[in-house]
Every structure is written in C-alpha cells, then in structure tokens.
Amino acid sequence: MRSILLYGVILTFLTSGPLWAEELDTFNQTLMEQAQKALAAKDDPKAEGLLSKILETYPNDQTTLKLASEVYFRQEKYREAASLYSRLLRLNPDDSESLIQLAVSRWRLREGYEAQAALLRALAQNNLTSEQKTLASATLDEIYSDWDVLNAIRQRGDYTAEERFHTHQIEKNPEAAATSYALRGFARHWLERPDEARADFNQALALGGLSDDLAAGVRKSLSEIAAAEDAQRREAEERAAAEEAARLEAAEQAAAEEAARREAEERAAAAEAAAQEAAPEPQVNAYEYFDQIDKLLGRGEVTRAAAVLNQIRGLELGDEEKGVRLYYEGELSWHKGAYDQAAGYYDQAARLIKERFRRSALLMRQAEYQARRGNRETAESLAVKSAGLLSDQPWKLKQAAGFFGELGSNATAVSYYQKALKLDPAPERNRDTFMGLAEIYKLTNDEANYFNYARKYIEASSPRLDRLSTLETGYFYFYRAELRSAQEPLAAYSDYEQAARLITEKYRLSEIYIKMAEYLADVNQADQAAHYAALSAETLPGQPWRNRQAAGIFDRTGHLEQAIHYTRLAMAQEPPDNPEADRELAYLYLRNKDKDNYLATHAAYIDKLTAEVDRQGGRASQELKKELYQARQTQSDISRTWGFDSYNFGTRRDNGDYSAMTINELFLNFTLPTDTPGKVYHRLNGTYASRYSGTYSDPITAQERSWESRTNLEDSVYGILGAKVNPVRRLPDFSAGVEYLYPIGRDRDDDDFRGRLEYNRTWGEKPRPYDDPHWLYAKTYGEMLYSTRHSDFTAFGELSLGRTFSPAFDKNILIMPHLRTNWSYGGEQISKGGRWSLETGPALAVRKWFNEDRRHAPRSYVELGVQYYIGLSHELDDAVGFNVTFSF
C-alpha cells in the first residue's frame, strides 16, 4: 500500500508541471484575447493592465512587449515605453521600429542627447521603410533645433555630436549661419581636424554678424591652428634633417664597407655568376621589411619607413603578405594626414589579413577612421572586434579602453580597463590603467572611484618618479594635489604649480589654472587669482563653461570689468535663448553700478523668460511663471525714479470727532556714491476742520465743564523735506535719516529739524498671479523721531496680520482682511490718560494694482480700507477708521 502511495506521489509530481504550464498558457492566451479586444475598443488603460499581467509570466515575449510599449506610448507614459523598447532591442538588436520609437520616447522625455544617438543608429541601418526614415529624420530635425540639446551634448564632451548639431543649424537656419559656422569650427578644432575648422572659421568671418567676443575667439583659434601647423612643419623639417644626417652617415659607412667588400666580390664574381645561373631566384622574406617599418613608424621616421616599403612594392607576394603591405600603405597615408586614402588601403587589407595581431591593429585603425567621420556606433563595433582578437593581451584591452574613453563610452571603457587589470594586476605595470580609470570617474563625477584610482596611480608612480615621462610626472603632481586639496590647500597649490609646468594637455592645464585661481581667491590674493583665471579661460577659449568659471573668480576678487567681459564671451558661445545668462550678466552690471546696462540686460532676461513661458503655454510650470513675475517686479523696483502717495483717512470717537486729509509722501529715488540705496522725499501734512471736545472737572467749583477745540487747514498744513538711507546692507528694510519741518499755515514758530529711524516690512501686499489664490498678509512698521526744537522723542508702531485673497477674474485685485494693532508715544499728551496709546481691531483693505507692461509688474495701486479700533489704554474709546490710498 505504501508503495502504491509513493508511486502516486511521484507520478503527481512529474505530471503536475506540464499540466500547470498548459493551464498557464491557456490563462495568458485568455488575457491576450482580452487585451486585443481592449485595444480594438481603444481602452488603453485596461489593455495596459492585461498586458502587464502577461509580462509577469513571459517577460521576454516580443509580441506582448511590442503591444505594451505601444500602449504606454499612446498614453504618453514615455518612461515606461522607453523601458520596454530597450528590452525589445536587447532581445532583437535589429528591430529598427523599436529603435526609432525608443528615440522618440526619449525625446518626449527631453533626453535629447540619448534620443539623437538612437536616431543616428537607426538611420545607419539599411532595413528602414520610407515612413520610418521620414519619422527618424523629422525627429532628428526637431532635436537639432532645440538648443537645450546642445547643452547636454557639451556636458558629455561629445564634439562629434556638437558638430552634427551645428551642421543642422547651418542647413535649417541661414540667418544664424555665421554663429553656427563659428561654433562648428570650435567643435572641429577640438576634434583635431584643423583644415575643416579653418574653413568654418573663415566662412563665419566672411558672412559677418558675429559678436565682438565670438569674432575674437574665432581669430584666436585661427591663430592657434596656424601656430600648430607651423610647429608640425618645423618638426617635420627637423625630422627630415635628422634623417638626412643619418643617411649621410650611413652612406659614409657603406662606402667604407664597399671598399672592403669590393676585392672579395671581384674574386667571387665568376663563381657567383655561375651559381646564379644554376640556382632558382631567391624568395624575399617580406616580414623582415614589415618589422623594420614597424620600428621606424614607432620612432616617427615616416620617410625612412616609406623607403623600406618601396623596396617590396613591385614584388610578388602571397595574399597575407600583400594584405600586410596594404596595411602599411594605409599607415603611411594616415601619418601624412591623408585619412580617406588610408581608409581605402585598410579596406583592401581587411579582405586579406588573417593573422590576429595585425588584423587587430587594422580593425582599430578602421575604428579610428570611423570615429573621425562621426560614425560612432560603427567605430565602437570595430573597436570591440579589434579587442576581441587579442582578448588575452592586457595592452590591447587598455588600448580599446582608451579609445572608448575618447568616444565618451565611459561604461565600456571602464569594463575594458577592469578586464586588463584581471589579466595583469601588478600595480607597477598598470599606471596607465589607473590614470585612465581616474580620468573616466572624474568625468562622470564619481568622486569615490576617482580618488581611489588617483591614489593608486600615485602609489604606483612614487618609486619610479625619476624615470617617468614629463607628462606622467605632471599627472603625479596633479593627482596628489587633488587628494591634498581638502586638508592641505597650501601643499595642493604647490603641487598644482608643479603640474602646470609639466602638463601640456589643454583641458587639464585649464583646470589646473582655475584650481590655482580658486586657492588664491580664498587667501585674498585677488590680482594673482585673476591672472590664473584669465590663463584658464585663454587655454580653452572656445568653452563657455570655462569662461563662466573665470568670470566667477573675477567677480569674487572684485575685477568686475573682467567678470563682465568673460560672461559676455561665454554668452556669445552659448545658445542665444538662455535667460539665466542674461540674469548673471545683469547682476554683474548692478554690482558695477552700471544701471543703464543693468536695466537693458535684465530686460533681455525678462524677454527670454516671457518667450519660454509663451512657448510652453499650458505646460509652463508654476516655478517658471513665478521667476518671470518676480523678474518683472525687480525691473519695476530698480527702474523707479519717482513716486507719489496720497493718504486720506477719517475716524470717529465717542468723545469727539476727528477727520483729516493728508498728502503723505512725494519721493525721488537715487543711489548714493557709496552704493547705499537712499530716498529723498517731500511730504505735505495737514488737518482740515478737526474738532476735539470733552468734559472736565473745574478744580475750584468742582463743576463739570465742557471744552472744544477746532483746527482749520490753513493753520495746520506743514511740509517735511527729508532724506533717508539704508546704512546696513543686511537690514534692507531699516533706514535712518533727517527731516526739516516748516509750517505752511499762519503759525511760523514750528520750524524744526528731526532725526528719523524707521523699519518697514510688508508681506503679501503685491499680486501673485503664479501662486495660490490666497496667502499670508503681514506688515510691521515702526518709526522713532527726535525733535531738536523740543528735545523730545516721539514714536509710532503698527503690526498687521491676516490673509490676502486674489479673485479669479482679476489677479491684480487683492482683498486683505487682517487684525491691526497700533501704538504710539508722543512728546505731547495724546489723550486724557497720558503720553502713549494702544489700540487694536479687525480691518479690511481692498487694493487694485495697475500700470504694468510686458517687462514691468504693476507699479501703482488704489486702496480702500476700513478698521474698527478698540482702545486698550488711557481711556481711548472705540472708533471706526476709513482710508483711501493712491500710489503712483
């Protein structure tokens, strides 16, 4: 019985798997049918859920992946769609449709750099339909019309992609062709294609219309190209002279040897002639010649290598030997700069060479040629094949890693460097590997790995410091400076100085100069810091980010004119529609007390922000709208030079009536020589038909008596002429000043001089069309006055707290309910109770802002207000106040 049960359990176990698989297939088939029905009914959310369930079981089913990716794409879930398209391409790299859709998805996600790379890869395939080619080309045109893509390309240092971008701009935007030719020239200059760069620079200058800074950069780059060509020509002449001297020396030696051999040759002439008649023609060992050519090319002796190759050009060779000869024909052409001719030789050699060492070298040369042509993916494929032929050779893996690093394929470069380390982990033989890894991790901002491999390079180099090349020694000091910079800034500066004397590579030298400038700025060596900042920018004249770094150093050290110059130079090299650049330049003009240029540049900043908001339309973010509105408010505040406020109010108290009309302030803004903001103002104050009444106890008769006082406008009007400044930058709402009071009415005895201290800060009284419809309203105000005539102090204070509401139909109307508290202290008796008073109560103000335009936020307003006062001190009675304020 137990045996039967055991057999049953085993049988169930063996059959349950297939049965369950069949049920699962049936279940997923049902889901697929439901999904197809949902797709037919255009119910994408339902189809998405059904297809996701299928993918949980069959994550690599291409049909399901294709349908799901299309569903995500239609629903504008581009992140999820891109993930599925990437999975499809891993399963089928030749799926051109998925590759194009992946590119379009990434473009919708504003990943312009990745999108253009995928589209170029797709267009390189030969299996595209006409519709696919049209879609890919149209999307690529759209990408290359967006200047934000250029910023992403520059962040990755991909000059080939930058060249393609500017080529597109030249074709599609003839009005800006001069600038595009100049910027493409810079890209080709850094790709070390001087002839093409020179042609672009000359075309840019011929077209005209360049900014002064950009034209200066173009002319400087032309000078650099000419200087480099002169240096190459001189080097070639020096090599030719050395070769000629070596040839003459060899000729003299040959003459001596010839004299010694001649006699022996004459004696053996007859025997040798007979032997030649009888013996077959000798075979030439071509590889001996090839080895000589290798050695000569390694020493840079191109002319002598060509002479050796010429000796075997007419000989009959086997296919392999013929292929190697063609390879060296290509090498000679490559060293002469005839890259297209060299590529032709390489293509012929590739069909004949089988031996892996030279075939690997041939493939790497083809990869370098394709990289020069801008065919990045083809170049990468050839480099992978080249390394694969010699995957057991660390030097070949390092060569491939360096090539991938130059292409910007950082992850692949790291992978090959790590493979080389596994084959040969000895530190003393891996200094170049440590340097390569350090450079990649520095480029990708991976500080931990960067410092790790920089430290390994230093440790491997220290025992051999006296035997390192000049460049390697320079990098030793550079990496040591990097490691020291945080804890030992002075020692790091000394190492940077050493590195600057030894390293000639422009990017690193420019970086060293900027590091030295930053240290000198930190220790308040302003002029020296400015010197090295200028050197850093001049070393990389075509790089706007470096010019901006230099401008930052000039700003820190107070060299504002230079900061403005380098900021403008960077702006000339950047996309023209970047508003942040104008904001930075405007800030520098403001610090340099150049108000006219500040307002003009800040206006350009506003115009570009406005254009961006208009372009995005309903997609514009609240942050962008807020930035634009605040910029308009700043433009209004800075450009204001005069203004007028009138303030009218009336109150009623139980023990009498009080009413008044006051012109509160007429002011003129200006800037003092100390760059301290200040204000000159003139006020007219006056009371019209005021009446105070009350009762008092007669001290003699002990009877209650009444009293009354009335003031007419002609007796009470007086003027105030004053000036106030902000003496403390950290307290922009605080001011101090002096005032002159003079009567305009009949009483001429009230002339007075007063000192004034004032603090005024308000929140929430200006429109916020970018924000929520309601927000905090608060105001705090305090003033203290000292009268020289009466030698007495008076003071007044106000505190308000509430909310601001903005109706949907007009964002410039503000409704402000709040609680307001006033206190005052007077030199004369305020009421029957004493010299000070305190009152509070609810208030409501309604304000309408106006007088705005495209560049200025509203600058004027009319306000109506009402408040109920509750007296809290000195027998003050409850009262109601009204006010009307007009500000222009």
Side-chain angles (χ1 to χ4, degrees):
M1 184 66 182
R2 274 188 287 180
S3 299
I4 294 173
L5 288 174
L6 180 60
Y7 287 134
V9 170
I10 293 172
L11 183 62
T12 302
F13 176 76
L14 293 174
T15 59
S16 63
L19 289 173
W20 170 246
E22 291 177 5
E23 292 176 2
L24 193 59
D25 287 340
T26 303
F27 175 71
N28 283 303
Q29 183 62 35
T30 303
L31 290 178
M32 178 59 76
E33 292 173 357
Q34 294 175 358
Q36 290 173 340
K37 290 179 182 178
L39 290 171
K42 298 183 179 180
D43 189 351
D44 286 339
K46 182 178 179 180
E48 175 191 335
L50 294 167
L51 292 170
S52 297
K53 289 181 181 179
I54 299 174
L55 288 175
E56 290 175 2
T57 309
Y58 299 110
N60 294 327
D61 182 70
Q62 294 189 39
T63 302
T64 308
L65 285 170
K66 183 80 74 174
L67 291 173
S69 59
E70 292 173 359
V71 168
Y72 280 128
F73 189 88
R74 282 200 300 270
Q75 296 181 91
E76 299 185 359
K77 296 181 177 180
Y78 298 118
R79 185 73 62 189
E80 293 82 354
S83 175
L84 293 188
Y85 285 130
S86 298
R87 196 188 304 178
L88 277 167
L89 288 168
R90 286 196 295 271
L91 297 171
N92 182 10
D94 297 328
D95 186 354
S96 55
E97 181 181 1
S98 294
L99 183 57
I100 293 174
Q101 289 300 106
L102 171 63
V104 175
S105 299
R106 286 184 167 169
W107 177 230
R108 297 291 185 270
L109 292 167
R110 310 306 296 170
E111 297 174 357
Y113 180 81
E114 294 77 5
Q116 60 92 25
L119 286 171
L120 291 172
R121 181 175 152 201
L123 289 170
Q125 296 181 354
N126 297 321
N127 58 348
L128 296 183
T129 65
S130 59
E131 292 81 3
Q132 289 172 341
K133 288 182 181 177
T134 302
L135 175 61
S137 299
T139 306
L140 195 60
D141 284 347
E142 185 180 344
I143 291 171
Y144 281 158
S145 298
D146 191 327
W147 284 87
D148 287 340
V149 175
L150 180 59
N151 290 330
I153 289 172
R154 283 178 168 170
Q155 287 173 1
R156 291 163 173 80
D158 190 344
Y159 295 109
T160 301
E162 182 172 347
E163 178 189 15
R164 284 195 296 266
F165 181 93
H166 294 306
T167 299
H168 180 276
Q169 290 291 320
I170 291 169
E171 295 171 353
K172 300 295 183 180
N173 189 12
E175 293 81 3
T179 299
S180 297
Y181 272 116
L183 297 178
R184 189 175 73 173
F186 287 127
R188 288 176 166 176
H189 185 27
W190 293 115
L191 286 170
E192 298 181 357
R193 287 153 54 191
D195 293 339
E196 297 171 78
R198 183 194 295 109
D200 278 348
F201 288 144
N202 288 332
Q203 182 68 19
L205 293 174
L207 290 172
L210 298 179
S211 67
D212 293 341
D213 295 326
L214 186 55
V218 166
R219 293 190 181 94
K220 185 170 183 178
S221 295
L222 283 170
S223 300
E224 289 180 355
I225 292 172
E229 289 178 344
D230 288 341
Q232 289 176 355
R233 186 177 65 254
R234 287 195 299 271
E235 184 180 352
E237 291 172 352
E238 291 172 358
R239 281 202 305 268
E243 290 170 4
E244 181 63 19
R247 188 186 65 76
L248 292 173
E249 182 181 354
E252 292 174 357
Q253 291 177 353
E257 292 172 358
E258 182 66 19
R261 286 196 304 268
R262 188 172 301 159
E263 184 179 354
E265 288 177 353
E266 290 175 355
R267 286 195 302 267
E272 185 176 349
Q276 287 179 350
E277 288 180 9
E281 189 171 339
Q283 297 294 319
V284 176
N285 185 355
Y287 284 99
E288 292 182 359
Y289 291 92
F290 296 150
D291 290 342
Q292 291 182 49
I293 295 170
D294 260 334
K295 293 176 183 177
L296 291 170
L297 289 177
R299 296 198 297 265
E301 300 179 20
V302 180
T303 303
R304 294 185 64 186
V308 174
L309 184 61
N310 191 51
Q311 297 178 35
I312 58 172
R313 277 197 173 110
L315 299 179
E316 288 293 330
L317 302 173
D319 286 347
E320 183 77 22
E321 294 169 327
K322 185 178 179 181
V324 176
R325 182 181 64 76
L326 288 168
Y327 166 70
Y328 284 114
E329 295 281 7
E331 287 291 275
L332 291 173
S333 298
W334 186 275
H335 281 84
K336 294 175 183 176
Y339 301 114
D340 292 337
Q341 183 182 16
Y345 284 121
Y346 293 144
D347 289 341
Q348 296 178 60
R351 292 191 287 270
L352 300 172
I353 295 177
K354 306 299 180 186
E355 186 267 322
R356 65 172 186 149
F357 275 88
R358 283 195 173 85
R359 185 168 183 78
S360 176
L362 170 64
L363 289 170
M364 185 57 73
R365 273 295 192 216
Q366 289 181 309
E368 292 173 0
Y369 174 74
Q370 294 297 332
R372 281 181 170 272
R373 300 284 296 175
N375 302 323
R376 176 171 174 166
E377 295 198 6
T378 304
E380 289 183 348
S381 175
L382 289 167
V384 169
K385 292 178 181 177
S386 173
L389 288 172
L390 296 177
S391 58
D392 57 339
Q393 301 294 318
W395 62 269
K396 172 54 72 174
L397 297 176
K398 294 177 187 178
Q399 183 190 48
F403 179 74
F404 284 117
E406 291 176 2
L407 285 182
S409 301
N410 297 319
T412 308
V414 169
S415 173
Y416 276 95
Y417 275 131
Q418 297 292 359
K419 289 177 183 177
L421 281 173
K422 288 181 180 178
L423 290 176
D424 182 11
E428 64 275 8
R429 291 192 294 273
N430 279 295
R431 286 180 297 105
D432 55 345
T433 303
F434 297 146
M435 180 188 289
L437 286 167
E439 291 302 298
I440 289 173
Y441 286 124
K442 182 176 181 62
L443 186 65
T444 56
N445 297 317
D446 186 342
E447 285 196 2
N449 275 314
Y450 167 59
F451 288 126
N452 177 38
Y453 284 105
R455 187 175 290 104
K456 287 185 177 182
Y457 176 82
I458 292 172
E459 292 170 352
S461 301
S462 294
R464 305 182 54 187
L465 192 58
D466 57 337
R467 288 178 286 173
L468 297 182
S469 69
T470 300
L471 184 62
E472 290 175 324
T473 306
Y475 272 92
F476 172 86
Y477 285 114
F478 174 77
Y479 289 140
R480 195 169 73 174
E482 293 280 274
L483 294 170
R484 286 177 162 184
S485 59
Q487 304 297 329
E488 306 173 80
L490 180 59
Y493 177 79
S494 177
D495 280 347
Y496 282 130
E497 277 190 312
Q498 290 279 9
R501 297 189 187 101
L502 302 171
I503 292 177
T504 57
E505 195 271 319
K506 290 183 177 180
Y507 274 92
R508 190 47 42 82
L509 188 58
S510 176
E511 181 183 10
I512 291 170
Y513 287 145
I514 208 71
K515 299 268 190 182
M516 295 169 68
E518 288 171 350
Y519 169 79
L520 292 167
D522 289 341
V523 296
N524 298 320
Q525 299 291 328
D527 292 340
Q528 287 181 279
H531 167 71
Y532 281 109
L535 281 179
S536 176
E538 290 169 4
T539 305
L540 289 181
Q543 299 303 313
W545 50 271
R546 184 62 84 204
N547 287 323
R548 287 204 173 280
Q549 282 186 311
I553 297 294
F554 287 124
D555 184 18
R556 285 178 59 190
T557 55
H559 296 79
L560 294 176
E561 292 292 342
Q562 292 94 322
I564 291 169
H565 167 71
Y566 280 98
T567 300
R568 291 181 60 213
L569 183 61
M571 290 174 64
Q573 299 162 340
E574 291 174 334
D577 55 354
N578 177 18
E580 299 305 318
D582 290 283
R583 183 176 67 177
E584 292 176 15
L585 182 59
Y587 161 77
L588 291 171
Y589 280 129
L590 184 63
R591 288 199 57 205
N592 202 36
K593 306 174 189 176
D594 187 345
K595 185 175 180 181
D596 292 339
N597 271 321
Y598 168 80
L599 290 173
T601 308
H602 199 262
Y605 163 58
I606 292 172
D607 291 343
K608 291 177 182 178
L609 277 180
T610 304
E612 182 62 20
V613 171
D614 292 344
R615 186 182 70 83
Q616 295 188 18
R619 296 184 293 109
S621 65
Q622 292 295 92
E623 291 75 13
L624 183 61
K625 294 177 182 178
K626 179 178 180 179
E627 182 181 358
L628 172 59
Y629 194 79
Q630 289 179 338
R632 292 173 60 217
Q633 282 188 330
T634 301
Q635 190 80 352
S636 298
D637 293 340
I638 297 295
S639 61
R640 178 182 293 134
T641 56
W642 65 274
F644 173 76
D645 284 341
S646 66
Y647 185 74
N648 312 294
F649 66 91
T651 62
R652 174 179 175 78
R653 292 196 173 100
D654 288 345
N655 67 345
D657 292 332
Y658 169 74
S659 63
M661 180 178 69
T662 302
I663 298 176
N664 183 268
E665 188 171 355
L666 177 66
F667 61 86
L668 178 70
N669 284 339
F670 67 100
T671 301
L672 296 180
T674 58
D675 197 27
T676 303
K679 181 186 292 186
V680 168
Y681 56 90
H682 183 267
R683 294 177 178 174
L684 293 175
N685 283 5
T687 304
Y688 176 71
S690 283
R691 182 172 63 83
Y692 296 90
S693 61
T695 59
Y696 67 97
S697 177
D698 189 310
I700 299 176
T701 64
Q703 295 179 350
E704 289 290 324
R705 296 182 179 275
S706 61
W707 62 271
E708 182 175 301
S709 173
R710 182 180 295 276
T711 303
N712 293 319
L713 182 63
E714 59 187 20
D715 297 321
S716 63
V717 176
Y718 60 93
I720 304 174
L721 178 64
K724 56 185 177 182
V725 297
N726 167 227
V728 184
R729 286 180 178 271
R730 294 182 181 179
L731 295 175
D733 306 306
F734 173 74
S735 63
V738 293
E739 298 177 340
Y740 170 63
L741 280 75
Y742 61 94
I744 298 176
R746 289 175 297 189
D747 185 357
R748 307 300 300 176
D749 297 327
D750 290 334
D751 291 51
D752 194 6
F753 283 95
R754 297 193 304 191
R756 168 183 288 273
L757 295 178
E758 182 179 88
Y759 183 84
N760 185 10
R761 181 74 183 276
T762 305
W763 297 265
E765 67 173 1
K766 292 185 177 181
R768 295 185 183 179
Y770 54 82
D771 213 339
D772 294 332
H774 56 85
W775 57 89
L776 173 70
Y777 169 73
K779 178 178 181 180
T780 176
Y781 176 81
E783 66 177 15
M784 181 180 294
L785 300 169
Y786 178 74
S787 170
T788 58
R789 178 179 178 85
H790 300 288
S791 300
D792 198 4
F793 284 98
T794 60
F796 173 78
E798 174 189 330
L799 179 62
S800 300
L801 186 63
R803 300 291 293 177
T804 298
F805 296 87
S806 177
F809 62 85
D810 190 343
K811 295 296 184 180
N812 285 340
I813 292 179
L814 306 182
I815 302 170
M816 299 178 287
H818 55 280
L819 180 68
R820 178 176 177 181
T821 301
N822 298 332
W823 64 270
S824 58
Y825 176 86
E828 299 178 0
Q829 182 172 332
I830 293 177
S831 67
K832 293 181 291 182
R835 299 179 63 190
W836 67 279
S837 70
L838 177 65
E839 55 189 358
T840 188
L844 176 66
V846 178
R847 178 179 294 192
K848 166 64 177 178
W849 285 90
F850 61 98
N851 188 23
E852 65 175 323
D853 55 36
R854 191 173 177 85
R855 288 178 175 171
H856 299 83
R859 289 164 282 183
S860 306
Y861 66 86
V862 174
E863 180 180 311
L864 304 177
V866 61
Q867 178 175 6
Y868 182 76
Y869 294 94
I870 302 172
L872 300 178
S873 65
H874 307 309
E875 302 180 13
L876 286 177
D877 300 309
D878 294 351
V880 177
F882 302 92
N883 70 277
V884 179
T885 303
F886 175 75
S887 174
F888 186 82

